[in-house]
Amino acid sequence: MSEASLEGFRADLRAWLEENCPPQMRDGLMTEEGICWGGKDWVFTSAAQRDWLERCAAKGYTVPTWPVEYGGAGLSRDQEKIFHQEMARINARSPLQSFGIWMLGPALLHFGTHEQKLHYLPPIARGEVRWCQGYSEPGAGSDLANVQTKGEDRGDYWLVNGQKIWTSYADKADWIFALVRTDREAPKHKGISFLLIDMAQDGVETRPIKMISGISPFCETFFTDATVPKDQIVGEVNRGWDVAKYLLTHEREMISGGAAGLTGTGRALGAVLSETMEELDATLRADAMRCEIDTLAIGLTLERYKDQAEAGQGAGDASAMLKYMGTELNKRRHELLMTAGGSDALEWDGPLGNRAGDWLRTKANSIEGGTSEVMLSIVSRRVLGLPG
Amino acid sequence: MAKLVMTEEETMLADMARGFLDGAAPVSAFRALRDAGQTHDADLWKEMAGMGWAGVLVPEEAGGSDMGQAAANIIAQEMGKTLAVSPFLSSAVIAATALRQVGDARAMQALGRIASGEATYALAVDEGIKFDPEATEMEAVADGNGFRLTGQKRFVVDGALADRLLVLARTANGLTLFDIPADRGGIARQATQMIDARDAARISFADVQATGEDVLGTVDSAMDVLKPALAAGQAALAAELSGLSAGAFGMTVGYLKERKQFGIEIGRFQALQHRAAHLWCEIEVTASAILNAGRMLDSDPEHAELAVSLAKARATDTAKLAVIEGVQMHGGIGMTDAYDMGFYMKRARVGAEWLGDYAYHAERVAALRGF
Ligand SMILES: Cc1cc2nc3c(=O)[nH]c(=O)nc-3n(C[C@H](O)[C@H](O)[C@H](O)COP(=O)(O)OP(=O)(O)OC[C@H]3O[C@@H](n4cnc5c(N)ncnc54)[C@H](O)[C@@H]3O)c2cc1C
């Protein structure tokens, strides 16, 4: 697309945002209170939040790069960059976030049939159906391919039994995409299927688990004779590991981007720290400079990889690198925020709101979606070719 | 929009440069030079000039190839991989960029001599142990129509052998940049024995005569000319350091696959795998900052300062990690002079200091980011 038409796109978008983004949605709030997750039972925190979601969804702006027929706006990479710039310019909240957008969507776009895409994607884009991720089990964490939840072939449906754990927002979700062992004889990577399971049935139960940050965002999820119609499988039977891995690359990129504070308003760390500590001491300032440098460089790396992907220069294992670097950086960042907050940061819901909770939550960044150690092992094997 | 991805031409340039350097300037050539006590390979520089490298930032009308900063960075990066010795940064990048800011007939002639490889330059800025051009004390006292320069410069990279010097000195109302021949009366050059075995000098100036003709740009306004030149040099040096990191890293990963202890390749030990993988991640992230600096200098030089300091800071740090890990993962052999890793370590250290160390560039990033 020419520079001129890109600038035309920017002008139109800017005008549209000016008219349609409610003032209350221009605070860039990315904390739990600010996020709209959508779903059947979603309770909007304000009329503005609802309006903002509906207006964006009507334009395809909740999933700007998805094809129009599946609920997106079909934006090119250049347009997408402009979209994020313009959203950041007015400090707009993201209208909708969800595991459907970050994880299942990309997997369906790649592996799903046309019918599946038409059926599942638009409700994700409109925020009508909320998904959760049923990968981990008590015995299958880093060794994810060891999943034991089993799916028996009952002719026109699968009968699913087993337990998942650490399932984020399972208690709030409508559907779950799950890794289920459908062949117990095959080698462990070759007997897994990727199933889409409706959680509104008696055979699916969830039990929240409380985290160190005080909230209960994840659950144990139990399947007891849950039934899954045969067309609710993504990819081929027993080939779910391919889908699972592909999805993980998207999840990891999302975690690294979000974690690095790069999808937020892009404010300089020094300015944020100075809000609570007018004069940064020398040690904190030095740490903050280093953190800022790394943040900018990792942000550029995210851009570079997107540009490379668009140019067809695939960097397949890049997501492991980004996930590792982005999440470790985010942990550093929140340590600095705590330091700059001093004793004010030590109170639950104190003068600095949920700063301590946010800090504690970041410790999961380098665990969820594959631990830092697992990321380094992936780089070591696939990129460096070191013997396994 | 400028993309953070190598164009086809850039990839070709990199391949071509790598091919040439692997043949004409492998690390073994550097070793031979060092063993012979030399700091410059005149034939190699002539060949580089023949390929258009000396004129990479020289306009075509002055006989250059005018390929731009991103291309200069690619060349520097490839040179870093094999530790190729040349006056590329001092002459083709820094001096050429300075002269280009002026662009008058005299400057164009000088640019032509750089492009052809006839003239080499060195930048004489540092006076203290750290890079700090604004703190320059050396004086250029007005004398009739000209000036007399008196003072000391040190860590003048490529300064012992350069044909000409760009000298920063204090004049009545600011700083002024002079472009003078290195053999002018009153100049005494003392080559320093550098850890990286390359050319550098301490230079003293005693009543050195300079005319108005010798002033590059405008009197009292050195920074108009020097700032872009420094930015170009810092970006290219960062690129060299990122190439150096990749070179040291390549050796290290190769060694992990080959050296056996306890009956297996040491690359099977997860403790080493994870350290190597971490280093690769750092190298990748730094590569983005380098690419971005080249893009910014080519498309929007007025606003490239942040990109340049980001690149130099990251490259400095990454190179340090690459050589420290490089020596450690090689064990005893990494400490020997007969092995090449030490060369990488020593060059990384010099590159870290030259044109501003990590702290200098971190402060600039912080200032530009408002803290
Ligand atoms: C906040 C949060 C949200 C989550 N949300 C979800 C979700 O929605 N859905 C879902 O399916 N899962 C979710 N998870 C689970 C997450 O993916 C797992 O916790 C993760 O994969 C690690 O597994 P584990 O907890 O069993 O740790 P383990 O695998 O037992 O790891 C323990 C330690 O051993 C290390 N280790 C393990 N294997 C190796 C090895 N081969 N080499 C070196 N070190 C190793 C690990 O790096 C780690 O440090 C979530 C986790 C968290 C913390």
Side-chain angles (χ1 to χ4, degrees), chain A residues 133 135-136 141-142 166 168 218 361 364 367-369 371 373, chain B residues 270:
Chain A
Q133 177 186 35
Y135 274 30
S136 307
S142 297
W166 320 126
S168 295
F218 54 21
R361 176 64 183 82
I367 299 171
E368 57 199 328
T371 66
E373 292 73 26
Chain B
Q270 198 184 53

Side-chain angles (χ1 to χ4, degrees), chain A residues 1-10 76 78-79 82, chain B residues 1:
Chain A
M1 193 176 279
S2 72
E3 287 294 324
S5 57
L6 280 178
E7 284 316 306
F9 169 76
R10 187 191 293 277
S76 69
D78 284 337
Q79 288 175 319
I82 291 174
Chain B
M1 274 182 216

Side-chain angles (χ1 to χ4, degrees), chain A residues 3 78 290 292 305 324, chain B residues 1 3 278 284 317 369:
Chain A
E3 287 294 324
D78 284 337
R290 194 170 281 278
E292 183 75 8
Y305 282 171
Y324 166 64
Chain B
M1 274 182 216
K3 300 267 180 192
H278 172 79
E284 272 294 288
D317 235 25
R369 296 286 290 166

Side-chain angles (χ1 to χ4, degrees), chain B residues 231-370:
Chain B
Q234 286 154 345
L237 178 56
E240 185 198 315
L241 288 171
S242 93
L244 179 153
S245 305
F249 178 69
M251 280 181 73
T252 303
V253 172
Y255 195 69
L256 291 180
K257 292 177 183 173
E258 162 196 310
R259 167 76 174 164
K260 286 191 174 160
Q261 281 294 280
F262 301 96
I264 55 172
E265 299 92 334
I266 57 172
R268 287 187 190 273
F269 300 128
Q270 198 184 53
L272 298 190
Q273 289 181 342
H274 284 191
R275 281 163 61 176
H278 172 79
L279 175 53
W280 180 81
C281 293
E282 295 285 356
I283 290 173
E284 272 294 288
V285 168
T286 295
S288 313
I290 307 290
L291 195 54
N292 181 56
R295 290 281 179 270
M296 285 299 291
L297 283 169
D298 283 335
S299 66
D300 192 4
E302 305 276 299
H303 300 104
E305 203 179 341
L306 176 65
V308 170
S309 280
L310 185 64
K312 178 63 167 66
R314 280 285 320 180
T316 294
D317 235 25
T318 302
K320 181 169 80 177
L321 184 69
V323 296
I324 289 175
E325 291 290 65
V327 169
Q328 180 65 21
M329 292 195 218
H330 275 84
I333 199 169
M335 286 300 294
T336 61
D337 184 71
Y339 202 73
D340 292 337
M341 187 56 76
F343 289 156
Y344 285 90
M345 181 169 270
K346 289 176 271 192
R347 177 61 185 166
R349 189 62 244 167
V350 173
E353 287 296 328
W354 192 23
L355 302 175
D357 64 5
Y358 186 91
Y360 176 88
H361 289 285
E363 284 290 353
R364 291 215 313 177
V365 169
L368 290 162
R369 296 286 290 166

Side-chain angles (χ1 to χ4, degrees), chain A residues 338-356:
Chain A
M338 285 300 284
T339 304
S343 59
D344 273 356
L346 304 179
E347 296 176 50
W348 297 116
D349 292 320
L352 300 180
N354 193 36
R355 184 166 291 197

Side-chain angles (χ1 to χ4, degrees), chain A residues 99 103 131-144 164-170 176-177 179 211 217-219 248 251-252 323 361 363-375 377 381, chain B residues 270 273-274:
Chain A
F99 288 21
M103 302 181 206
W131 286 84
C132 66
Q133 177 186 35
Y135 274 30
S136 307
E137 296 180 5
S142 297
D143 186 11
L144 180 60
K164 297 288 174 183
I165 195 166
W166 320 126
T167 328
S168 295
Y169 306 114
I176 182 168
F177 51 89
L179 299 184
M211 221 163 37
F218 54 21
C219 301
L248 278 172
E251 176 179 4
R252 287 168 186 162
K323 207 259 168 189
R361 176 64 183 82
K363 301 306 179 212
N365 294 160
S366 50
I367 299 171
E368 57 199 328
T371 66
S372 283
E373 292 73 26
V374 168
M375 297 304 101
S377 290
R381 241 187 356 267
Chain B
Q270 198 184 53
Q273 289 181 342
H274 284 191

